[in-house]
């Protein structure tokens, strides 16, 4: 069994660039306020979702391991 992720979008940081939707249209949606949210906050680890987080110009997308809370993106410094 693979890793499971908790995907979150910090809506106070999100600028609605839609880069997450571009990289992973099945995983992110923009609401009427043009802010992103994950379609499924708890999901299987997925390269497209990681690409979406990495492509966010303001790093509003956060991914952590479900259960442990260990950060996947952005990585701990």
């Amino acid at each position: 069994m693979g890793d499971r992720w908790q995907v979150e979008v910090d809506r106070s940081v999100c600028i609605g660039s839609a880069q997450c939707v571009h990289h992973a249209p099945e995983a992110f949606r923009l609401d009427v306020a043009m802010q992103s949210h994950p379609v499924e906050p708890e999901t299987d680890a997925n390269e497209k979702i990681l690409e979406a987080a990495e492509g966010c110009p303001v790093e509003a997308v956060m991914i952590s391991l479900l259960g442990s809370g260990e950060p996947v993106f952005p990585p701990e410094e």
Side-chain angles (χ1 to χ4, degrees), residues 8 13 18 34 36 50 52 55 61 76:
E8 300 176 66
V13 175
M34 294 302 291
S36 177
L50 182 57
V61 179
E76 286 184 324

Side-chain angles (χ1 to χ4, degrees), residues 12 19 23 28 32 36 39 45-46 48 50 53 56 68 71 74-75 77:
S12 70
Q19 288 303 301
H23 287 287
F28 294 93
V32 295
S36 177
V39 173
N46 178 308
K48 292 291 187 185
L50 182 57
C56 179
S68 72
E77 295 183 27

Side-chain angles (χ1 to χ4, degrees), residues 3-74:
D3 288 336
R4 299 267 304 155
W5 286 348
Q6 176 74 38
V7 181
E8 300 176 66
V9 176
D10 185 339
R11 295 168 63 84
S12 70
V13 175
C14 178
I15 60 170
S17 73
Q19 288 303 301
C20 57
V21 176
H22 171 75
H23 287 287
E26 71 288 343
F28 294 93
R29 296 284 183 265
L30 294 182
D31 62 18
V32 295
M34 294 302 291
Q35 293 210 300
S36 177
H37 59 91
V39 173
E40 295 291 331
E42 296 180 3
T43 187
D44 291 330
N46 178 308
E47 188 65 31
K48 292 291 187 185
I49 293 173
L50 182 57
E51 288 175 13
E54 292 172 339
C56 179
V58 293
E59 291 190 351
V61 179
M62 298 160 292
I63 304 169
S64 58
L65 289 177
L66 194 59
S68 72
E70 181 181 336
V72 173
F73 188 87

